[in-house]
Amino acid sequence: METIEAIMTRRSVRKFEKKQIPDAALEKILRAGTYAPSALALQPWVFVVVQDQKFLNRVSDYCKPIMISLMKDAHDGMSDGFRALLESPGYSIYYHAPTVIMVIGKTGSRFREIDCSLCAENMMLAAHALGIGSCWVGSTEVGYENKELMAGFRIPEGYSPVGTIVFGYPAEKPEVHDKHPANVTWVR
């Protein structure tokens, strides 16, 4: 798959087959992440690969009511739809994906969020090129302050979470959404 094609055809996948991703494919995805640019080439990222579904369900069950509470006053179509999902029995913020990867950045690194986000995008594009779906999951953020819960992610000292991404073989093919044209100001 060519680079531009991968960028233009990657979609967030939220329904996955039950089969696990082979370690060799996950290692390729993780390796692609490490090839992302970073400020001063510091590469401030580390990864936690989670395949323990009981643990992921526990994290999801902790985060869902907090997310519902945070969204209580939001009533646009997207918020209403997401809140309904969060309230659905059996719903997981990780979409029951077989693998979740938490991208973690060195706490003292000034540009860790930017660097780790670039790393995450490389990982999602690599996964797409391998026929593996992915989706950035922002809902984990509401659990970051719960030390007991976060201990299950085994985050190394001196690092803190930037984001979680779900990975798995797609059980759906999301449609292409219209993209807004680039809003560009040329300074020449």
Side-chain angles (χ1 to χ4, degrees):
M1 179 178 294
E2 295 294 322
T3 305
I4 298 295
E5 179 187 1
I7 292 168
M8 301 297 197
T9 61
R10 193 207 75 78
R11 298 288 172 264
S12 292
V13 174
R14 294 176 178 87
K15 290 184 183 171
F16 300 96
E17 294 179 7
K18 295 288 184 203
K19 71 178 186 177
Q20 189 53 265
I21 303 166
D23 287 353
L26 289 170
E27 288 167 8
K28 284 181 184 177
I29 291 166
L30 291 161
R31 184 82 173 138
T34 67
Y35 276 76
S38 63
L40 304 173
L42 292 174
Q43 305 172 54
W45 44 68
V46 297
F47 312 99
V48 176
V49 179
V50 182
Q51 297 175 328
D52 179 342
Q53 294 300 311
K54 287 181 183 177
F55 172 67
L56 292 172
N57 287 337
R58 197 168 87 237
V59 175
S60 179
D61 289 345
Y62 175 84
C63 293
K64 287 189 300 184
I66 297 170
M67 290 297 298
I68 291 167
S69 174
L70 290 172
M71 298 175 68
K72 70 180 183 288
D73 296 325
H75 295 291
D76 57 81
M78 292 294 286
S79 297
D80 291 336
F82 186 51
R83 188 172 34 259
L85 280 176
L86 289 166
E87 292 170 344
S88 300
Y91 174 78
S92 169
I93 64 170
Y94 302 116
Y95 305 106
H96 303 287
T99 298
V100 173
I101 298 178
M102 180 178 273
V103 181
I104 301 162
K106 191 170 183 76
T107 305
S109 178
R110 178 174 176 172
F111 299 106
R112 73 181 191 86
E113 290 186 5
I114 295 168
D115 293 343
C116 289
S117 295
L118 291 165
C119 171
E121 178 67 5
N122 270 20
M123 292 167 61
M124 291 187 287
L125 289 170
H128 178 53
L130 296 170
I132 296 167
S134 65
C135 183
W136 180 282
V137 174
S139 299
T140 310
E141 181 185 19
V142 300
Y144 289 173
E145 299 304 316
N146 183 323
K147 292 183 190 309
E148 182 182 328
L149 188 68
M150 288 297 111
F153 283 104
R154 302 181 195 159
I155 298 168
E157 190 172 328
Y159 288 81
S160 54
V162 173
T164 47
I165 310 165
V166 296
F167 292 93
Y169 290 102
E172 68 174 354
K173 186 171 181 175
E175 292 182 26
V176 176
H177 297 287
D178 289 334
K179 300 294 181 184
H180 300 293
N183 184 347
V184 180
T185 300
W186 296 86
V187 179
R188 296 182 175 168

